[in-house]
Amino acid sequence: MRNISHALITKVVVFLFAVVCITGIAKTIINMETNEVHLDSINHKNYFESGAFADESYGIISPLAQLIGKYKSEEYILSGKVLTEEEIIEIEENLYNDFRYSNKYDHSLGERDNKRIYRETADDNINRKKDEVMSAQVREFYRLLSTLKANKGIIYYASNGEQVFSNSGFDKQKDFEEYNTYMLFEDYQHKIVPNEAKESRYFDYFTEGVNRLNPQTDVIYLAYKEPYLQEKIQEWEKEKVLAKKLLTEFIVFLAGFIVSIVYLIIVIGRKSFKDKEIHLNVIDKLYNDLNIAIIASLIFMSIALMIELLRGLYILLTVPIFAIALLLILSLVKHIKNRTIFSHTLIYQILKKVFLAVKQVFDNGSIGVKVVLLVIGYPVIVVATFFIFPITMGVAAWLALKKVKSFNRIKEGVEQIKNGDLHHRIEVDGKGEFSRLATNINSITDGLKNSVDSEIKSERLKTELITNVSHDIRTPLTSIITYVDLLKIEKDPEKIIEYIDVLDQKSTRLKHLTDDLFEAAKASSGSIPVQLEQIDILSLLTQGIGEMDEKIEASALDFKLTHPTEKVYVKADGKLLWRSVENLFSNIFKYAQPASRVYIDVEDLGNEIRVTFKNISAYELNISADELMERFKRGDESRTSQGSGLGLSIAESLINIQQGKFSVQVDGDLFKVMINLPKFLIE
């Protein structure tokens, strides 16, 4: 019940009610036309003020006025006296125009000569046309007489001093004054009884013909027979009652339609008052311009049926017509709410596709195709918009100016880049040729800048490599040379043994350095053979932790291994993977905080397996993760530890050649290494 205002059943009921109301309005209008109801009769107090009385009076006065004032008699008409000068001139002009557009007109002659030729044969044609006009006037004369003879309730007398038209033996005013309702027009005087008829707003309408008569000779008398008048009054009163009834029905149906259509406009397309989304259905897929065309056709069809007054058939046809029209109108209301009234039209969609097609050609087509389109399309546009030609020229000039500015911007940018400004960016709006050209130039500039930066970094690394190698190798080598010199002069056996132990340590240290350097060089160059196979990563890690149990106990580190319950396999080279893991363990033993925890997490990411090593550093990590990955870099910048600084670099290179990913993260003293390897999928 909470959403009854927007419920489908409520909308359907109100929609049907709206259709009933609009059908009722149409039916009321048809009844008014069929019964010739005059709504203004509602405001009239009596019959003599009404339009019905005015029509009855006009139906007698107008024919009488024409008979005595214009036509008079058949002989008078055939004498040609009814023909006016204007009518004769019109006949002659029409005949001459027919002559001008006929093959008788000689275009080689002047207008005067052609008129002379026309007059030689025109008299017979003019007389024939006059006879046709007079025959029509005679027919009109007898039609007026027939109209008067058909009258049964009004007696009349009309005379112009020569002709008399009457349906009674009365010819004096006093004869007509004996009736309760009469009209006398004579000698500039109008005597009308009752007085309400004279005060009627239709008085000028039904006495119009009298005003054109000759007051000195023409008279018109008429009177209404009482039974006929009473019959007309009763008909008028019935019509007045019917007019009130139909007007009431019209107002009720109209009010119902307005209320229902306002409700439908408010709720259509939404499921509640808080609903912001417009819900469209199948009928809303019809394009709006086609929708409007169908609505207009249905309205014209309804009006045509109403004009034809097909009473029984009309109601049967108008109900579906109004229902369909109202559905389509409500569909337009939805699109207005959805702000798609213009975008959801067939014309818009066609123009949009044409525009996008042309735009696609301009964005991606060759220069030749674009030139052809411009050469062909611009004249077509000029012709199509000829009435706004200055605007078309202005738009074309504006577009050309934009392209010229874009070209100049690219030219200036290339000049700056050529002069060595690799940080300069060329900014060009749009998606055309110039925009793509600017983007390509910027990409080339970025490539050059990256190459320069890479070369600078490579030179720096080479310098650091030489410095670090020299430093790390020179230290044990210097010790070896020193202790060899001491051995040469030393005689004490115990000292000699001590010196030999030092020489053994330094030579081993030197061997490890050279081995690590050689392995790092081989790994980074990719020259190590790789045999990818199925490896149980959990077994490898567990075995590694077991083999290093002594070192773990010595360092007091607490290793925590978390992994999925099921076994996971990676696609890798077992030896190289173990070498990478061994380097990471070695790194942990050298640089982890003693008596701290080391976390090793194994995660199944779907197509990859991630192994994460986390430990707390014993030294302050005051360098970035990227710097830690560089060769000969150690966690302690003072270089007091025994590591070579190549462990992470070697591990990264070994993982990379196994199609894996190696990354380092530093968060305060937390050091984290993540290895991502392809998962071995068992079929």
Side-chain angles (χ1 to χ4, degrees), residues 216-281:
Q216 298 176 350
T217 59
D218 301 340
V219 296
I220 295 178
Y221 306 146
L222 58 91
Y224 287 80
K225 294 178 181 180
E226 194 63 24
Y228 176 78
L229 185 62
Q230 290 303 318
E231 180 184 349
K232 291 296 180 182
I233 290 175
Q234 290 178 3
E235 290 178 0
W236 175 78
E237 288 176 347
K238 291 181 180 178
E239 179 186 314
K240 184 176 181 179
V241 172
L242 181 60
K244 287 183 178 179
K245 177 186 175 185
L246 293 177
L247 181 60
T248 302
E249 290 181 1
F250 180 83
I251 292 174
V252 171
F253 283 129
L254 181 61
F257 178 74
I258 291 174
V259 171
S260 58
I261 198 68
V262 168
Y263 164 79
L264 289 172
I265 288 174
I266 293 173
V267 303
I268 196 69
R270 291 194 169 98
K271 296 181 179 179
S272 67
F273 287 111
K274 296 180 180 180
D275 190 5
K276 301 299 181 182
E277 181 183 357
I278 301 299
H279 303 276
L280 304 178
N281 49 40

Side-chain angles (χ1 to χ4, degrees), residues 35-267:
N35 297 296
E36 297 181 355
V37 174
H38 297 88
L39 293 177
D40 56 356
S41 63
I42 297 174
N43 299 321
H44 298 148
K45 296 179 181 179
N46 56 65
Y47 172 67
F48 301 105
E49 295 178 358
S50 69
F53 177 75
D55 290 338
E56 288 289 332
S57 302
Y58 180 83
I60 299 299
I61 296 173
S62 179
L64 290 174
Q66 292 184 68
L67 288 173
I68 65 176
K70 182 177 180 180
Y71 296 114
K72 298 180 181 180
S73 66
E74 180 178 355
E75 292 78 12
Y76 184 78
I77 294 172
L78 294 176
S79 68
K81 294 179 180 179
V82 179
L83 282 172
T84 62
E85 188 68 26
E86 290 80 6
E87 290 175 329
I88 295 172
I89 292 174
E90 184 180 358
I91 290 171
E92 292 179 351
E93 288 180 350
N94 290 337
L95 289 173
Y96 181 67
N97 287 333
D98 293 341
F99 171 77
R100 286 188 64 184
Y101 295 106
S102 68
N103 54 9
K104 296 179 181 178
Y105 189 86
D106 191 349
H107 294 277
S108 63
L109 300 176
E111 189 73 15
R112 181 179 299 177
D113 293 333
N114 275 298
K115 282 187 176 182
R116 178 179 53 77
I117 296 172
Y118 162 74
R119 291 192 188 97
E120 292 175 356
T121 57
D123 292 340
D124 292 339
N125 291 332
I126 292 173
N127 292 331
R128 179 172 53 79
K129 285 292 183 182
K130 287 180 179 179
D131 291 341
E132 292 176 1
V133 174
M134 288 187 291
S135 297
Q137 291 172 342
V138 170
R139 288 193 297 272
E140 179 64 14
F141 173 76
Y142 283 106
R143 188 193 67 80
L144 293 173
L145 290 176
S146 298
T147 301
L148 293 172
K149 288 179 181 179
N151 167 64
K152 302 298 182 182
I154 302 175
I155 60 175
Y156 57 84
Y157 171 82
S159 173
N160 57 11
E162 295 181 3
Q163 287 82 22
V164 175
F165 301 92
S166 176
N167 64 350
S168 68
F170 300 150
D171 59 356
K172 304 297 183 184
Q173 287 190 12
K174 62 181 181 179
D175 297 329
F176 290 87
E177 289 175 348
E178 293 179 359
Y179 290 85
N180 293 329
T181 303
Y182 60 86
M183 297 183 187
L184 306 175
F185 303 98
E186 182 181 12
D187 193 22
Y188 297 104
Q189 294 182 356
H190 299 167
K191 187 176 182 181
I192 298 175
V193 177
N195 193 52
E196 287 89 343
K198 190 172 184 179
E199 293 177 353
S200 169
R201 64 192 182 102
Y202 300 106
F203 177 75
D204 292 336
Y205 157 64
F206 64 78
T207 61
E208 180 184 4
V210 177
N211 296 329
R212 292 195 294 267
L213 298 179
N214 186 349
Q216 298 176 350
T217 59
D218 301 340
V219 296
I220 295 178
Y221 306 146
L222 58 91
Y224 287 80
K225 294 178 181 180
E226 194 63 24
Y228 176 78
L229 185 62
Q230 290 303 318
E231 180 184 349
K232 291 296 180 182
I233 290 175
Q234 290 178 3
E235 290 178 0
W236 175 78
E237 288 176 347
K238 291 181 180 178
E239 179 186 314
K240 184 176 181 179
V241 172
L242 181 60
K244 287 183 178 179
K245 177 186 175 185
L246 293 177
L247 181 60
T248 302
E249 290 181 1
F250 180 83
I251 292 174
V252 171
F253 283 129
L254 181 61
F257 178 74
I258 291 174
V259 171
S260 58
I261 198 68
V262 168
Y263 164 79
L264 289 172
I265 288 174
I266 293 173
V267 303

Side-chain angles (χ1 to χ4, degrees), residues 576-585 587-588 608-613 625-626 628-630 646-665 671-678:
L576 299 181
L577 180 57
W578 168 244
R579 181 72 178 99
S580 302
V581 172
E582 187 180 28
N583 276 5
L584 293 177
F585 279 137
N587 193 72
I588 290 170
E608 287 184 333
I609 301 298
R610 174 180 291 171
V611 182
T612 306
F613 297 83
D626 291 337
L628 281 172
M629 295 301 297
E630 294 178 6
L646 293 171
L648 291 179
S649 177
I650 293 171
E652 180 188 24
S653 299
L654 292 176
I655 293 298
N656 288 340
I657 64 176
Q658 296 176 83
Q659 302 175 3
K661 289 178 286 186
F662 186 97
S663 60
V664 172
Q665 291 182 3
F671 181 77
K672 182 164 65 173
V673 174
M674 291 181 292
I675 298 175
N676 288 54
L677 290 168

